[in-house]
């Protein structure tokens, strides 16, 4: 049987489909990709359904090899460093991984999350209708945990492509991460007008202690007009809650389904991935939009996923020695988005 | 967006979720309205409505705004909320076996100390009440229950205690809960049920719904073990009663 082998993996490498939907009412987190656009794009480039299971790559990095046959891969990891048997490849690449060859993906100058989709199907059993990994509750993926060295992912329905690597040309992935659009609410009435203004004006610095559950913001603390405890209500992905210390927390893919802090605003769907990609220490600002504007942005993002993916042959270029020397260090890279 | 007492507030949570808020407190009457709307939408869900999440005081609706227009959803919600004030579904009552004895009721003596009741009185009081499932949240299958007798209303711990086993029966902050997955908790663990409210591998992973009623039936440790074995073999040990209200 053909299998994709995890030869090495840093922390935070998981299998994700588009998320576990339908069980929020029972306290089951949706999980799914931190950057939904990149995840869908990788699947599109691999010729899969947009919601298919793919490997989510953290800055921990991963090393992949193929067993039992060649596997076509689409790797979308903007800002990451990618190499096939030591030869550098673009961070948006279609490549056929033949048995015995090794693909290395490590953190580069930018970007927190990348995606690797196979041309075919990663054959892991869905749990509650989804393969999305939620490590906190031990659901989905491979035994509900992150991937680690020695794991073998069986691949069905493999389709072969060109053996030579190709650069994937997708201009829509060049997004501006510095301005994150939000819709105010649902509990913006827990804040006075000057605090809403202060929230929107920022600036906010992304804390390095974020993970798949939440993105923590550092800056001037906000004050509450009506206290910081509410009776629990539902939590959307992208909800920005403000706990007692006044520092906003953006709730991401692994968030809990309900929560008890006032939520001043909600990051719009198309900007969730942009926010997820920002590394710790970087500054962002928020911009208020209407629901109608957010829906228009969502529609534009959906439409872009139906545009053709252009492919260019890869010309071997950079072989900087520090890069080559660093290739086999991937297993020891520390976690985090810093 | 100004709301009369009878009209829920509609709050956007981004462009893909709408909070229908019936109040801001824990109150069975508010919960009834939440669950009535949940039932009504569940009976005939508009295309594009992805998830309904009932909470103590609100119903969160996750929707795909490219399929279901916000204005259409709002119109539907307003019409249903105006016309539906009582639940249409039957009331389901579950009897869950519960072992309060050692080693399960780890924190009973602490609850006894804080309430001034004897340990036996803590058990009798907890087992004598009927609870309503207000909502799930916090963790998979974690069921928040209302109906805890006032005398057992101890505040939650300031810092969490070590993890409890699966299916712990807990109290804290004036509420009761069944905590299905092991985790550190600020609640007091007063027992355990052999019934698995959450089992991801089971056909029906959850069987207790928001709005259902629960009673706990004390069993000794040997019975708990026997019932746990039956539950593990696929034979449910929770008993179900149904009545039309």
């Amino acid at each position: 049987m053909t299998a994709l082998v995890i030869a090495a993996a840093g922390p935070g490498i998981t299998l994700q489909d588009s998320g576990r939907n339908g069980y929020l009412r029972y306290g089951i987190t949706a999980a799914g990709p931190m950057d939904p656009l990149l995840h869908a794009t990788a699947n599109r480039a691999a010729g899969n359904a947009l919601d298919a299971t793919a490997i989510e790559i953290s800055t921990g990095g991963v090393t992949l090899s193929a067993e039992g046959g060649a596997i076509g891969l689409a790797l979308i990891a903007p800002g990451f460093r990618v190499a096939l048997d030591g030869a550098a490849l673009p961070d948006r690449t279609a490549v056929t991984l033949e048995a015995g060859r090794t693909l290395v993906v490590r953190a580069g100058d930018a970007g927190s999350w990348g995606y690797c989709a196979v041309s075919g199907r990663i054959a892991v059993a869905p749990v509650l209708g989804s393969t999305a990994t939620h490590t906190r509750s031990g659901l989905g993926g491979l035994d509900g945990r992150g991937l680690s060295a020695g794991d073998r992912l069986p691949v069905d329905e493999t389709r072969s492509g060109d053996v030579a690597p190709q650069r994937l040309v997708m201009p829509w992935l060049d997004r501006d991460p510095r301005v994150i659009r939000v819709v105010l609410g649902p509990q913006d009435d827990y804040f006075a007008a000057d605090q809403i203004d202060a929230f929107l004006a920022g600036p906010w610095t992304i804390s390095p202690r974020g993970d798949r559950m939440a993105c923590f913001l550092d800056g001037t603390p906000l004050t509450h007009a009506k206290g910081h405890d509410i009776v629990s209500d539902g939590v959307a992905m992208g909800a920005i809650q403000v706990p007692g210390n006044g520092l906003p927390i953006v709730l991401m893919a692994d968030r809990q389904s309900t929560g008890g802090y006032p939520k001043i605003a909600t990051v719009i769907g198309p900007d969730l991935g942009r926010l997820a990609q920002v590394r710790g220490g970087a500054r962002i600002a928020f911009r208020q939009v209407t629901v109608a504007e957010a829906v228009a942005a969502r529609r534009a993002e959906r439409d872009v996923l139906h545009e053709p993916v252009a492919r260019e042959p890869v010309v071997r270029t950079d072989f900087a020695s520090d890069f080559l020397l660093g290739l086999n260090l991937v297993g020891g890279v520390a976690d985090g988005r810093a | 967006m100004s709301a009369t007492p009878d009209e829920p507030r509609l709050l956007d949570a981004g462009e893909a979720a709408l909070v229908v808020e019936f109040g801001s407190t824990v109150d069975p009457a508010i919960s009834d309205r939440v669950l009535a709307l949940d039932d009504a939408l569940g009976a005939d869900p508009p295309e594009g409505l992805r998830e309904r999440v009932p909470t103590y005081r609100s119903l969160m609706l996750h929707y795909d705004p490219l399929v279901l227009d916000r204005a259409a959803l709002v119109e539907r919600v307003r019409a249903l909320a105006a016309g539906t004030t009582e639940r249409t579904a039957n009331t389901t009552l579950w009897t869950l076996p519960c072992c309060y004895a050692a080693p399960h009721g780890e924190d009973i003596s602490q609850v006894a100390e804080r309430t001034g009741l004897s340990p036996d009185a803590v058990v009798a009081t907890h087992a004598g009440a009927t609870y309503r499932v207000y909502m799930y949240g916090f963790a998979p299958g974690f069921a928040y229950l209302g109906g805890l007798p006032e005398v057992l209303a101890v505040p939650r711990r300031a810092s969490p205690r070590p993890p409890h086993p699966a299916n712990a029966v807990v109290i804290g902050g004036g509420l009761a809960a069944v905590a299905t997955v092991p985790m550190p908790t600020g609640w007091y663990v007063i027992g355990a049920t052999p019934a698995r409210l959450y089992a991801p591998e089971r056909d029906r992973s959850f069987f207790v719904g928001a709005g259902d009623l629960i009673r706990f039936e004390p069993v000794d440790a040997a019975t708990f073990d026997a019932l746990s074995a039956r539950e593990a073999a696929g034979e449910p040990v929770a008993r179900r009663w149904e009545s039309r209200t």
Side-chain angles (χ1 to χ4, degrees):
Chain A
M1 165 144 225
T2 308
L4 190 59
V5 178
I6 310 296
I13 314 292
T14 58
L15 292 176
Q16 298 293 341
D17 63 11
S18 62
R20 184 167 286 103
N21 298 312
Y23 295 94
L24 279 178
R25 63 188 287 114
Y26 293 112
I28 299 287
T29 294
M34 287 292 281
D35 190 333
L37 179 64
L38 249 60
H39 177 271
T41 299
N43 273 318
R44 166 147 176 71
N48 298 334
L50 297 181
D51 60 357
T53 308
I55 301 175
E56 182 175 87
I57 302 168
S58 71
T59 52
V62 69
T63 302
L64 303 171
S65 61
E67 195 179 77
I71 301 173
L73 300 177
L75 179 76
I76 310 284
F80 281 67
R81 299 200 286 178
V82 184
L84 179 66
D85 288 344
L89 288 178
D91 57 14
R92 293 141 224 213
T93 289
V95 60
T96 296
L97 190 59
E98 294 166 296
R101 308 192 76 181
T102 301
L103 183 74
V104 174
V105 186
R106 350 175 10 192
D109 298 331
S112 295
W113 305 101
Y115 295 86
C116 180
V118 304
S119 287
R121 188 176 72 91
I122 297 176
V124 292
V127 179
L128 297 174
S130 165
T131 61
T133 309
H134 186 241
T135 55
R136 279 179 175 81
S137 56
L139 285 180
L142 220 53
D143 304 325
R145 59 172 172 80
L147 300 178
S148 60
D151 285 339
R152 283 171 164 70
L153 305 174
V155 179
D156 286 346
E157 303 155 27
T158 49
R159 300 181 295 275
S160 54
D162 292 333
V163 171
Q166 295 172 317
R167 179 193 308 273
L168 299 167
V169 182
M170 302 164 166
W172 64 83
L173 296 185
D174 298 320
R175 300 168 292 178
D176 181 357
R178 291 162 303 177
V179 177
I180 303 297
R181 291 166 291 181
V182 299
V183 173
L184 288 186
Q187 278 96 31
D188 49 317
D189 60 339
Y190 274 67
F191 302 87
D194 66 324
Q195 292 302 296
I196 304 267
D197 292 344
F199 164 75
L200 291 170
W204 299 101
T205 304
I206 305 288
S207 159
R209 65 192 177 106
D211 59 12
R212 277 185 48 87
M213 191 172 184
C215 169
F216 297 85
L217 303 179
D218 289 328
T220 307
L222 303 174
T223 55
H224 301 79
K226 296 198 270 180
H228 60 261
D229 279 318
I230 60 168
V231 173
S232 283
D233 76 343
V235 172
M237 183 167 170
I240 305 175
Q241 66 178 21
V242 183
N245 70 4
L247 293 176
I249 300 171
V250 190
L251 299 170
M252 303 299 282
D254 281 0
R255 74 194 188 278
Q256 292 169 344
S257 55
T258 59
Y261 293 117
K263 295 167 282 290
I264 191 169
T266 307
V267 176
I268 71 169
D271 286 4
L272 288 166
R274 301 180 198 213
L275 177 64
Q277 293 292 357
V278 179
R279 296 263 192 98
R283 276 187 173 188
I284 58 156
F286 292 112
R287 182 160 71 81
Q288 183 187 352
V289 295
T290 63
V291 169
E293 288 168 325
V295 173
R298 192 177 267 253
R299 183 170 288 115
E301 185 174 286
R302 180 196 61 184
D303 292 347
V304 93
L305 283 169
H306 293 94
E307 287 179 15
V309 176
R311 295 161 191 264
E312 297 172 345
V314 172
V315 182
R316 291 175 62 169
T317 51
D318 52 323
F319 284 90
S321 58
D322 64 324
F323 176 64
L324 291 174
L325 286 170
L327 288 179
N328 42 15
L329 297 176
V330 63
V333 174
D335 187 23
R337 296 136 54 98
Chain B
M1 205 75 108
S2 72
T4 69
D6 292 322
E7 213 171 274
R9 297 172 76 205
L10 302 181
L11 308 171
D12 290 301
E15 80 284 13
L18 184 72
V19 180
V20 185
E21 186 183 272
F22 289 94
S24 56
T25 55
V26 179
D27 176 337
I30 292 171
S31 171
D32 277 341
R33 297 204 62 195
V34 171
L35 296 170
L37 179 63
D38 183 42
D39 288 345
L41 280 167
D44 183 19
E47 193 187 348
L49 179 60
R50 300 178 64 194
E51 306 230 20
R52 313 184 315 275
V53 185
T55 71
Y56 293 112
R57 65 207 186 84
S58 63
L59 183 67
M60 184 174 233
L61 302 172
H62 295 265
Y63 64 101
D64 179 348
L66 302 185
V67 177
L68 177 58
D69 184 59
R70 181 188 184 279
L73 176 61
V74 164
E75 191 183 339
R76 182 76 164 268
V77 164
R78 285 206 190 284
L80 286 174
T84 320
T85 48
E86 284 180 10
R87 300 199 64 197
T88 51
N90 293 357
T91 299
T92 302
L93 168 69
W94 299 93
T95 302
L96 305 182
C98 179
C99 181
Y100 297 92
H104 304 289
E106 296 175 46
D107 299 340
I108 286 226
S109 57
Q110 291 177 46
V111 173
E113 237 170 71
R114 278 161 182 74
T115 57
L117 297 175
S118 69
D120 284 350
V122 170
V123 172
T125 307
H126 183 266
T130 301
Y131 301 88
R132 166 205 285 259
V133 180
Y134 274 114
M135 60 181 278
Y136 285 91
F138 181 58
F142 188 100
Y144 288 93
L145 312 179
L148 184 73
E150 192 65 34
V151 65
L152 291 179
V154 288
R156 273 171 233 165
R157 302 160 191 274
S159 53
R161 47 152 279 157
H164 56 70
N167 303 312
V169 173
V170 301
I171 63 173
L175 294 167
V178 180
T180 45
V181 263
M183 66 175 107
T185 186
W187 302 58
Y188 291 87
V189 177
I190 62 165
T193 174
R196 299 173 68 208
L197 270 54
Y198 161 59
E201 78 290 354
R202 196 169 56 202
D203 272 353
R204 198 172 172 199
S205 300
F206 305 87
F207 59 85
V208 176
D212 286 0
L213 303 178
I214 287 182
R215 289 184 66 88
F216 295 97
E217 179 180 65
V219 296
D220 60 26
T223 307
F224 176 91
D225 292 342
L227 292 174
S228 294
R230 279 169 52 188
E231 181 85 16
E235 182 192 344
V237 300
R239 295 201 312 279
R240 182 175 198 271
W241 316 82
E242 194 157 311
S243 70
R244 180 160 277 284
T245 46

